Amino acid sequence: MTERRAWDHAEEDDNTWIGELLDEDAAARAGRTDVAIDRTTPDRVERLDAVPDPWRVYTTVLARSGRAMMGPLSGTQDPSRARVPQVVLEVDGVHLDQERLDVYRALVGDRAGGGAGLGEATAPGFVHVSLFGLQLALMARPDFPLPMLGLVHVANRIEQLRPVTCAEQLTARTWARALSLRPLGDGEQLGTQVELVTEVRTGGAVAWQGVSTYLAKGTSLPSLPVAPREPRVPFTPPVPTGGWVTSRAESKAYARVSGDRNPIHTSVVAAKAFGFPRTIAHGMDTAARALAALGPTRGGAFTWCVDFAAPVLVPGRVALRVERVADLEATPDSSRPGWSMQVWDPRSGRLHLRGSLAHA
């Protein structure tokens, strides 16, 4: 019998884990590329033998009682819990999987490998999914302040200082930061958001850092700073430069290769239970397909930012526009050229994603 890889499990159970997605206009944040490598980390380090398998983290959490699954803070106002774990999860000797990379590339249409000198350069989104288990392991800890199963991925940014390859031995580290309150919609409701930072080092130097922003809409912790309310900016669909068709088969394939098996991406029953007419695409799948449209022009060192708006329905069609921009990171002294990306529904004109890639 052929050994199954951790990312290639059997079909998901429709009743495993159902999360939520934030339907929000992200236009106000889309052009932000003021990202720098964050050198501040907690002092305590917990070393793991390997990057946790996302599916095993999910099933471990689901095996707990209903109270534990929804998190101890769901709906509470306990100020003593309004802090992130003061720990870094670290794994040494990580090698990215070339076979998994090939599957990922074929799914999202990425053709921008090579040029790193140590083998074929990986896609930046592939590094994210390869290390996703570290983020889940941190969110599943009893001292994590937000309910893991209610978190919504609202934004992602990746700072790549140089390409990462499957031939290299890597050290991966993940920690949490920036716990804050966030206004929801136009009313007085608040949610709580947090950033999870994942860093990749090789040869002792940082090569890649990703920052994922997650929001707990139903949790409002006291004594936290409140982020400014972001104005909603109307979106007018531009002339597309490309697009693609979504399919349930590809969504299930992405769930396997990414490890994100939330059944709203694979089960019509689960999707309808949360108010969607059919299944929805993974946000990072949509982001990776938009980035893939740049091909080799994205280069090897860059800042890639995405903000997720409305979910992409599956099956369906999406439109894409990529456009050169001269000053993605305007500062008093300089600007950074690069590309803007917009993804929307060509029938309704509804925005799905805005993003940017600023060259280093």
Side-chain angles (χ1 to χ4, degrees):
M1 178 180 293
T2 302
E3 180 182 356
R4 296 183 67 85
R5 294 175 178 268
W7 51 270
D8 188 22
H9 295 283
E11 291 296 324
E12 298 81 7
D13 181 349
D14 286 352
N15 297 317
T16 54
W17 174 51
I18 301 176
E20 298 178 350
L21 290 182
L22 176 68
D23 183 5
E24 166 184 29
D25 191 305
R29 294 175 293 152
R32 185 189 66 196
T33 55
D34 52 332
V35 181
I37 291 296
D38 181 6
R39 304 295 184 186
T40 304
T41 62
D43 293 331
R44 185 161 61 95
V45 176
E46 289 188 9
R47 290 180 173 84
L48 308 180
D49 293 334
V51 176
D53 176 9
W55 182 243
R56 292 192 177 186
V57 178
Y58 284 144
T59 55
T60 298
V61 171
L62 288 164
R64 299 172 185 167
S65 67
R67 173 180 168 79
M69 284 194 300
M70 295 312 297
L73 282 178
S74 182
T76 72
Q77 299 291 315
D78 183 357
S80 68
R81 301 282 300 187
R83 59 179 297 180
V84 296
Q86 299 301 297
V87 64
V88 177
L89 300 185
E90 181 177 287
V91 181
D92 289 321
V94 176
H95 285 90
L96 303 182
D97 188 322
Q98 182 67 53
E99 180 181 341
R100 185 180 179 187
L101 172 61
D102 293 342
V103 173
Y104 176 91
R105 277 213 166 113
L107 281 172
V108 304
D110 186 278
R111 301 177 181 84
L118 294 172
E120 187 178 30
T122 64
F126 177 72
V127 181
H128 170 87
V129 301
S130 296
L131 304 177
F132 181 55
L134 278 173
Q135 291 193 358
L136 288 181
L138 189 62
M139 289 188 282
R141 290 172 57 96
D143 58 346
F144 191 76
L146 300 174
M148 170 183 165
L149 301 186
L151 291 178
V152 182
H153 193 184
V154 296
N156 210 82
R157 66 182 184 266
I158 289 172
E159 180 87 358
Q160 181 168 296
L161 301 186
R162 74 164 184 82
V164 177
T165 77
C166 294
E168 296 176 275
Q169 181 169 291
L170 310 173
T171 297
R173 296 159 53 89
T174 292
W175 65 94
R177 70 179 189 192
L179 191 67
S180 63
L181 297 173
R182 172 172 171 161
L184 302 178
D186 298 322
E188 300 300 320
Q189 184 182 5
L190 296 173
T192 303
Q193 70 178 23
V194 66
E195 293 180 350
L196 266 63
V197 184
T198 299
E199 177 183 271
V200 174
R201 290 175 175 264
T202 177
V206 177
W208 184 102
Q209 187 185 86
V211 180
S212 300
T213 303
Y214 294 96
L215 174 67
K217 296 176 66 178
T219 301
S220 179
L221 301 182
S223 306
L224 291 176
V226 181
R229 187 180 300 277
E230 295 160 356
R232 293 179 179 270
V233 178
F235 171 69
T236 301
V239 176
T241 57
W244 61 88
V245 177
T246 63
S247 72
R248 290 193 63 199
E250 290 198 345
S251 283
K252 289 185 176 182
Y254 187 87
R256 289 193 296 270
V257 78
S258 69
D260 185 351
R261 298 173 179 279
N262 187 329
I264 59 174
H265 303 305
T266 58
S267 165
V268 175
V269 173
K272 287 186 175 180
F274 278 83
F276 301 109
R278 51 190 186 273
T279 56
I280 60 176
H282 295 75
M284 287 302 289
D285 183 9
T286 303
R289 291 171 188 268
L291 181 66
L294 298 183
T297 61
R298 73 173 182 235
F302 49 77
T303 300
W304 175 35
C305 299
V306 293
D307 286 274
F308 302 109
V312 174
L313 294 177
V314 180
R317 291 181 177 273
V318 296
L320 165 71
R321 181 173 180 83
V322 295
E323 187 173 3
R324 286 187 180 273
V325 180
D327 56 353
L328 273 175
E329 188 176 35
T331 69
D333 301 317
S334 64
S335 63
R336 296 171 64 186
W339 298 83
S340 67
M341 291 161 271
Q342 299 173 91
V343 178
W344 69 95
D345 185 324
R347 296 182 61 184
S348 68
R350 192 181 196 188
L351 180 67
H352 294 309
L353 174 150
R354 284 183 186 261
S356 62
L357 181 136
H359 296 296

